Amino acid sequence: MTYVPFFVHGENRSTRWLISCDHATNTVPPDLGGSLGLTEADMSRHIAFDPGAAGVTRALADALGGTAILSNFSRLVIDPNRGEDDPTLLMRLYDGSVIPGNRNADAAEKTRRLNAYYRPYHDALSALAARRDDTVIVAIHSFTRQLKARPSRPWHVGILHAYDRRLSDPLIAALQAEPDLVVGRNEPYPGHLPGDAIDRHALHHGRLNTLIELRNDLIATEASQVGWGKRLAPMLQAALAQVTD
C-alpha cells in the first residue's frame, strides 16, 4: 500500500475555514524503518510532533464546519513548517536529543524526503486552500511548557502572526478577555519564518490567517482537545466578523 503523508478531515465541507496541523503525528514512515533511532520516550516528546494539536485541529474543524489537513510524518523526518532551504528543515539535534536516523542524511536523502512527504503535504494544502477565493487558514500547533535548561513559559496560548494581523489582532483581544488565560503575541516563537507554511499558503496569496500555539499540557486528553476546539471556534468566528479589509 502506498504511504500517504497527510490526512484530510472534512474534505467535502464548503465553509471558508481551512485548519492545518503541520506537526500532527510522530510517525516515521515504513521506508525509514519506522524509527529514527530515538527512544519511545523521545518520540513522544514535543521534539517529534506537537502533542495534542491533531485532536484540537479536528475538533476545531468540526466546530467551524471547515476542512482540516494534518501531516502524517514526524517533524524529525522533515519539517513541513520550514522553507525548503531552512537549515532546521532536517534536524540532527533538538532540545538535547541527537537524532540518529538523521546523522548521515545527505543532500540526496533530504531531496528524497522532500519528494516523499513534504511536497505532497504542501501540494494538498495548496489545493485545499485554492478551492475558494476567501479561504481563511488557521494553523494549530502546541508547545512544551519548558525546554531543557530554559525558564518555564508563562503562556497558556500564543497567537503568531507576521505583517498580516487582520485576524490575529481581534483573536488576541478575545483570548485576553478570558480571565483564566495568559496570552502571548508571537510567543513562544517569532511569528514569521520565510518559507513556513503560513508564509507559503496564506501570506503569498493575501489570505486571512493566524497561527495558534497551545501549551501541550493543556491539551493532553481527548476531552481537553475537543474542549479547546469548541472554545476557539466562536472566538475565531467573532474575529473574522471584525475583519474589514
Side-chain angles (χ1 to χ4, degrees), residues 175-199:
L175 287 163
Q176 288 176 332
E178 300 285 299
D180 61 325
L181 296 180
V182 178
V183 182
R185 181 190 291 273
N186 286 333
E187 299 287 1
Y189 313 108
H192 181 230
L193 287 172
D196 67 13
I198 286 291
D199 184 45

Side-chain angles (χ1 to χ4, degrees), residues 2-8 11 22 29 31 69-73 77-80 84 110-129 200-201:
T2 302
Y3 184 79
V4 179
F6 59 88
F7 301 110
V8 177
E11 183 173 9
D22 301 324
D31 60 359
I69 181 168
L70 304 94
S71 67
N72 188 30
F73 53 95
V77 170
I78 196 160
D79 194 333
E84 291 195 14
K110 175 182 172 182
T111 298
R112 190 193 71 79
R113 295 188 196 185
L114 283 168
N115 290 332
Y117 320 121
Y118 178 106
R119 288 169 179 158
Y121 171 77
H122 281 288
D123 288 347
L125 177 48
S126 179
L128 289 170
R200 180 171 179 169
H201 299 287

Side-chain angles (χ1 to χ4, degrees), residues 75-96:
R75 66 190 300 172
L76 296 179
V77 170
I78 196 160
D79 194 333
N81 196 35
R82 298 292 185 272
E84 291 195 14
D85 58 353
D86 192 299
T88 65
L89 180 70
L90 202 160
M91 296 288 283
R92 291 173 171 80
L93 175 69
Y94 194 172
D95 195 22

Side-chain angles (χ1 to χ4, degrees), residues 28-184:
V28 178
D31 60 359
L32 285 170
S35 170
L36 292 171
L38 289 167
T39 65
E40 184 176 341
D42 263 339
M43 288 303 295
S44 68
R45 295 175 59 216
H46 68 98
I47 66 170
F49 73 126
D50 283 356
V56 175
T57 297
R58 289 188 290 266
L60 180 59
D62 290 344
L64 291 170
T67 298
I69 181 168
L70 304 94
S71 67
N72 188 30
F73 53 95
S74 170
R75 66 190 300 172
L76 296 179
V77 170
I78 196 160
D79 194 333
N81 196 35
R82 298 292 185 272
E84 291 195 14
D85 58 353
D86 192 299
T88 65
L89 180 70
L90 202 160
M91 296 288 283
R92 291 173 171 80
L93 175 69
Y94 194 172
D95 195 22
S97 294
V98 174
I99 320 303
N102 291 346
R103 183 182 295 130
N104 298 317
D106 57 12
E109 174 60 12
K110 175 182 172 182
T111 298
R112 190 193 71 79
R113 295 188 196 185
L114 283 168
N115 290 332
Y117 320 121
Y118 178 106
R119 288 169 179 158
Y121 171 77
H122 281 288
D123 288 347
L125 177 48
S126 179
L128 289 170
R131 294 189 305 178
R132 293 179 59 126
D133 293 335
D134 60 352
T135 294
V136 180
I137 298 179
V138 179
I140 300 295
H141 291 258
S142 73
F143 65 95
T144 188
R145 186 168 194 163
Q146 187 170 16
L147 295 171
K148 290 185 176 181
R150 299 286 184 88
S152 179
R153 292 160 162 169
W155 312 283
H156 299 103
V157 56
I159 302 301
L160 277 57
H161 62 79
Y163 52 83
D164 184 354
R165 301 165 47 164
R166 291 175 294 168
L167 187 62
S168 295
D169 279 351
L171 177 59
I172 289 170
L175 287 163
Q176 288 176 332
E178 300 285 299
D180 61 325
L181 296 180
V182 178
V183 182

Side-chain angles (χ1 to χ4, degrees), residues 225-237:
Q225 293 157 20
V226 171
W228 268 100
K230 291 180 177 179
R231 185 177 189 178
L232 289 167
M235 294 185 192
L236 282 161
Q237 289 170 323

